[in-house]
Amino acid sequence: MKITRISVFQVDLPLEHPYWLSGGRLKFEVLDATIVKIETDEGLTGWGEGTPWGHTYVPAHGPGIRAGIKTMAPFLIGLDPRHVLDVERAMDVSLPGHLYAKSPIDMACWDIAGQAAGLPIADLMGGGSRTPRPIASSVGAKTVEETREVIDRYRQRGYIAHSVKIGGDVDRDIARIRDVERLRNPGDIILYDVNRGWTRQQALRVMSAVEELNVMVEQPCETLDDIAAIAPRHSTPVSVDESLVTLQDATRIARDGIAEVFGIKLNRVGGLTKAARMRDVALAHGIDMFVMATGGTVLADTEALHLAATIPDENCHAVWACQDMITVDIAGGRGARNIDGHLHLPEAPGLGVHPDEEALGDPVAVYS
Ligand code: MG
């Protein structure tokens, strides 16, 4: 089987509500999605998506994905898409780095490989759990009262997992954590996501003030060096998200004990092939995981669910999906959808969901 054509589509995904991160430092209103269609000489077609969370969240942006694919495409035409490692090497040789540009290609190849094998991607990767995965809500940086309202709204939709955005103002962060913890239900999974918003000193002030609550904090500071430097000085469990980009990051975090949890975002780490290695590093070192779409449509959410399904139930806290935050649906209700706050693995071979091509408009580029 050979890749014969790669078509690239661009879709704007407006967020239902404007969204702030890192104590209001970063604002988001529309996501720039790149949808990729890979066709083969045997009639199978695979779909991938790369949707960074805007262009200020991490070093990734929509135009960069499309430029990267333009550079890599000549090296991919003619390869067997089922040989995901060959495709990965071709991408890494033709364009070192730029992992976020590679994830939609990797995803479309896994989709084709699954269809060719007659298996959902998770089963092709070695076996997918059918335990529905809780979806983590995303509660933007807000006041104590607004935080309560948003969490209540998610709870009414069945959510038990919440990613509460903090960071920026130490006193406000302490107040919000204490308030959310007062309202915690048994079985709730709550992650306080700082999105790099604290200095080392601010991180230590908040974490010591709430130490007795044993909460989990995500990406407290800008870099792995910052997070490592404060690690011996607090006992709060830490998840690393933005600073987990390469396999070398994963092995460093594991070896040096920098964090207890990985937040694996598939677009950021370069797709399923690379993320699966991080999963294995985590499992080998007693590190639990959140698996996340970086942003985007049900395609990205479903990809995240496939990886989450390959993690033992007890080691996978939740998935983060973006589908309830955007106002565009490119797949007419199909794919892994929110059912009572959980995602259920599709049983169809491959990714298990393809977009409506009419919803994408004309391709912005075609390589053959
Ligand atoms: Mg995060």
Side-chain angles (χ1 to χ4, degrees):
M1 189 188 301
K2 287 186 168 64
I3 295 173
T4 53
R5 187 196 306 258
I6 301 172
S7 304
V8 179
F9 302 84
Q10 191 277 329
V11 184
D12 281 336
L13 306 176
L15 295 173
E16 193 175 0
H17 306 287
Y19 192 84
W20 283 268
L21 281 181
S22 205
R25 188 167 58 94
L26 306 174
K27 184 182 182 186
F28 304 89
E29 292 178 289
V30 180
L31 305 182
D32 177 350
T34 301
I35 309 291
V36 174
K37 177 187 183 186
I38 292 185
E39 293 169 81
T40 63
D41 61 349
E42 294 187 19
L44 288 179
T45 298
W47 288 88
E49 171 174 8
T51 306
W53 189 260
H55 50 86
T56 52
Y57 167 59
V58 292
H61 65 147
I65 295 180
R66 298 185 288 277
I69 292 173
K70 182 180 182 183
T71 300
M72 295 184 289
F75 300 87
L76 305 177
I77 300 293
L79 296 184
D80 187 331
R82 298 169 300 179
H83 297 182
V84 291
L85 297 177
D86 291 346
V87 173
E88 181 196 30
R89 283 185 205 114
M91 291 196 286
D92 285 344
V93 167
S94 59
L95 184 67
H98 299 275
L99 300 175
Y100 66 98
K102 296 168 180 172
S103 78
I105 300 286
D106 176 80
M107 178 175 166
C109 289
W110 276 103
D111 184 21
I112 291 169
Q115 293 174 59
L119 293 170
I121 288 173
D123 287 347
L124 184 63
M125 293 178 84
S129 168
R130 265 53 178 178
T131 307
R133 296 295 183 214
I135 308 174
S137 75
S138 210
V139 183
K142 291 170 191 298
T143 64
V144 166
E145 294 72 29
E146 288 166 332
T147 303
R148 286 186 181 198
E149 279 170 33
V150 176
I151 291 179
D152 276 346
R153 210 160 62 218
Y154 276 112
R155 280 186 173 143
Q156 283 161 20
R157 284 139 83 180
Y159 281 68
I160 59 165
H162 305 280
S163 173
V164 179
K165 306 300 177 187
I166 57 174
D169 182 284
V170 165
D171 293 328
R172 189 180 60 190
D173 289 340
I174 293 169
R176 286 182 75 209
I177 292 172
R178 288 199 174 129
D179 192 65
V180 170
E181 288 301 310
R182 264 196 295 278
L183 301 171
R184 180 190 277 273
N185 289 331
D188 275 358
I189 301 157
I190 300 175
L191 184 66
Y192 294 94
D193 193 352
V194 188
N195 292 111
R196 322 190 296 273
W198 290 333
T199 62
R200 297 182 188 189
Q201 191 190 30
Q202 288 172 324
L204 287 170
R205 281 174 61 199
V206 178
M207 290 199 265
S208 41
V210 300
E211 187 146 32
E212 79 286 356
L213 297 173
N214 196 35
V215 300
M216 187 186 297
V217 167
E218 186 162 85
Q219 192 72 35
C221 304
E222 185 73 34
T223 65
L224 276 187
D225 286 338
D226 296 333
I227 298 170
I230 62 170
R233 301 178 58 193
H234 66 82
S235 60
T236 299
V238 167
S239 167
V240 168
D241 179 357
E242 288 98 309
S243 290
L244 174 62
V245 180
T246 66
L247 189 61
Q248 290 79 5
D249 295 330
T251 54
R252 178 186 168 198
I253 295 165
R255 183 189 59 227
D256 294 350
I258 295 171
E260 290 70 37
V261 177
F262 281 179
I264 300 179
K265 281 203 170 73
L266 284 159
N267 181 251
R268 185 185 64 233
V269 307
L272 289 162
T273 305
K274 293 181 189 296
R277 300 189 189 106
M278 292 183 172
R279 171 203 61 200
D280 293 340
V281 168
L283 290 174
H285 292 83
I287 290 172
D288 288 343
M289 283 161 270
F290 286 84
V291 180
M292 301 176 253
T294 306
T297 74
V298 68
L299 271 66
D301 295 345
T302 305
E303 180 196 31
L305 179 63
H306 279 288
L307 180 71
T310 69
I311 299 169
D313 295 348
E314 59 274 23
N315 301 107
C316 183
H317 288 296
V319 296
W320 188 76
C322 188
Q323 56 185 263
D324 286 346
M325 301 177 69
I326 58 172
T327 59
V328 170
D329 186 356
I330 64 167
R334 301 185 304 277
R337 298 290 173 163
N338 174 13
I339 300 173
D340 209 19
H342 292 70
L343 290 183
H344 299 248
L345 196 72
E347 293 297 337
L351 184 65
V353 56
H354 283 178
D356 295 319
E357 218 165 316
E358 321 79 75
L360 305 178
D362 292 330
V364 294
V366 177
Y367 308 99
S368 56

